[in-house]
Amino acid sequence: MIETSPALTTVPVELGAKAYPVRIGPGALDQLGEEILARGFARGVRVLVVSNPDVDGPYGDRVLRSLERAGFRSERLVLEAGEDQKTLTTVSRIHQAAYDHQLERGSLIVALGGGVVGDMAGFAAATWLRGIAVVQVPTTLLAMVDAAIGGKTGVNHPGGKNLIGAFHQPSLVLVDPSTLTTLPPRELQAGMAEVIKYGVIADAVLFDALERQESLASLEAVGPALLAQILRRSATAKARVVAADEREGSLRAILNYGHTLGHVVETLTGYRRFLHGEAVAIGMVAAGLLSRELGLWSAAEEERQRQLIARAGLPLAAPPLEPDAVRECLLRDKKVRDGRVRFVLPTQIGAVELRDDVPLAMAQAALMQTIPARS
Ligand code: NAD
Ligand code: GLY
């Protein structure tokens, strides 16, 4: 029996034969080797650690040392950073490194980084030798609470984001909150949008805890106790949804709260002006207005969501957009049928409804309503 640290918190992702734990705690990075042994991998197994310079610089050596201490034969591959790297070309580089390092069926890939590294390394693991194990070690808030959990892996296609991919559950997700100390504050805030999302869609206790904090805009303002609660409760919310609906037959779609109108904002601003989480924040504001307009949500709770988003330093308003462009963009959304859009709409803090019957014009109007009037 391999001893693992009791100091780490465990959130189980209950997926039968594919079940795995999310292990969370400061200093977890130095325990990666033992944590992998505890998942049943033998000493001597080959491991490829995939990262980028932003994370390899501060954390790569620690990860490699931990793996070596546990007896793994590890190599690292450091890719360039950035969403524009999330392509099949980069995945081919990971495959080449897997070949060079002689990764076998029992070998594993460790994804050390944000959602971009996690999605690419996960997809490379899903496709190398028809699927080898992957361990996710997320280093952005967004990846810790969302991307690293749930097994969605993939890359972008020139025609759209995440069009190429596979479901491939990790064997372990290891979250070390202290890696967030080097994360730029804007990236932390973008991740906070997904945290607020969990509060609204699934966890009123989390929402209340966030609300009690004066600011959520920096690591210092959040503090270690609330951060620990954020990571545990968000992982629990995601794990519960994924366990109930791994392949997004229905329920998993609630994780897309704020994403439909957020996607319109991202698309119409050419993916340059807003980080994904910032666009999701605007999308949640618009979805909140829409829900209120449809009589599903109270004005008071919609205002609470708006206040919380503001406290995280996130944008509340879309930039000036042409109404026709918004309409066109919504029409191209795969969730539109007969002029009606599929929407995740809050009914109270901690609960949402999936609606298939939202008139496209109302969705368009809700997003336009967030745009400040020109003086
Ligand atoms: P990211 O991976 O691009 O990371 C953001 C930036 O922070 C990058 O420049 C990165 O190099 C840097 N960085 C990462 N960790 C750092 C650290 N600890 N210190 C300093 N710098 C650090 O962005 P992200 O927001 O983590 O992820 C976005 C990606 O995740 C998108 O491609 C999106 O499609 C994907 N995603 C996937 C899922 C899923 O379920 N698979 C869910 C949500 C998002
Ligand atoms: N990020 C949405 C999902 O994992 O389904």
Side-chain angles (χ1 to χ4, degrees), residues 63-301:
V63 161
L64 266 286
R65 272 199 302 272
S66 172
L67 291 169
E68 274 152 28
R69 271 198 311 273
F72 293 110
R73 287 188 280 173
S74 9
E75 287 286 333
R76 69 177 112 193
L77 173 66
V78 182
L79 302 165
E80 277 176 55
E83 181 73 32
D84 59 349
Q85 297 297 311
K86 210 175 100 171
T87 62
L88 281 178
T89 309
T90 314
V91 170
S92 298
R93 284 191 58 201
I94 305 177
H95 286 155
Q96 187 58 46
Y99 179 80
D100 293 342
H101 190 41
Q102 297 170 37
L103 294 197
E104 305 157 352
R105 280 265 159 79
S107 308
L108 74 106
I109 291 180
V110 169
L112 173 67
V116 167
V117 165
D119 278 8
M120 290 192 299
F123 186 59
T127 44
W128 183 248
L129 302 179
R130 299 197 179 86
I132 65 167
V134 64
V135 167
Q136 294 282 352
V137 185
T139 61
T140 64
L141 182 58
L142 183 137
M144 290 176 184
V145 299
D146 187 0
I149 307 167
K152 281 189 182 175
T153 71
V155 294
N156 302 327
H157 177 271
K161 274 193 69 177
N162 299 323
L163 291 183
I164 306 163
F167 283 97
H168 187 58
Q169 298 295 341
S171 301
L172 165 72
V173 180
L174 191 73
V175 176
D176 187 337
S178 51
T179 58
L180 296 176
T181 51
T182 52
L183 189 68
R186 191 175 168 201
E187 295 287 351
L188 186 92
Q189 290 162 12
M192 203 56 81
E194 303 285 357
V195 174
I196 295 171
K197 175 189 84 177
Y198 290 122
V200 176
I201 67 170
D203 188 346
V205 174
L206 173 62
F207 192 96
D208 290 348
L210 297 172
E211 244 181 356
R212 281 194 295 274
Q213 206 73 7
E214 209 165 292
S215 163
L216 298 167
S218 69
L219 208 53
E220 295 69 33
V222 172
L226 180 59
L227 180 62
Q229 205 181 346
I230 284 173
L231 295 174
R232 180 174 51 81
R233 295 199 81 97
S234 300
T236 303
K238 176 125 194 201
R240 210 181 311 127
V241 172
V242 168
D245 178 23
E246 185 189 0
R247 293 194 165 232
E248 204 167 314
S250 58
L251 179 73
R252 189 163 176 168
I254 70 169
L255 299 174
N256 296 331
Y257 174 55
H259 284 57
T260 301
L261 291 172
H263 184 62
V264 171
V265 172
E266 280 181 301
T267 307
L268 296 181
T269 52
Y271 287 92
R272 279 184 299 274
R273 177 159 173 178
F274 296 103
L275 295 177
H276 175 69
E278 293 169 339
V280 167
I282 298 167
M284 290 194 293
V285 171
L289 288 169
L290 184 55
S291 196
R292 206 176 114 183
E293 193 70 20
L294 286 163
L296 296 171
W297 208 19
S298 70
E301 290 206 341

Side-chain angles (χ1 to χ4, degrees), residues 1-6 8 21 23 27-43 47 62-72 74 108 110 135 137 171-172 174:
M1 179 75 184
I2 309 289
E3 288 292 315
T4 56
S5 171
L8 302 185
R23 299 269 290 158
L29 223 51
D30 301 307
Q31 296 165 37
L32 178 64
E34 295 89 76
E35 291 287 325
I36 294 175
L37 287 174
R39 295 294 299 141
F41 292 88
R43 289 174 206 282
V47 180
R62 275 172 63 191
V63 161
L64 266 286
R65 272 199 302 272
S66 172
L67 291 169
E68 274 152 28
R69 271 198 311 273
F72 293 110
S74 9
L108 74 106
V110 169
V135 167
V137 185
S171 301
L172 165 72
L174 191 73

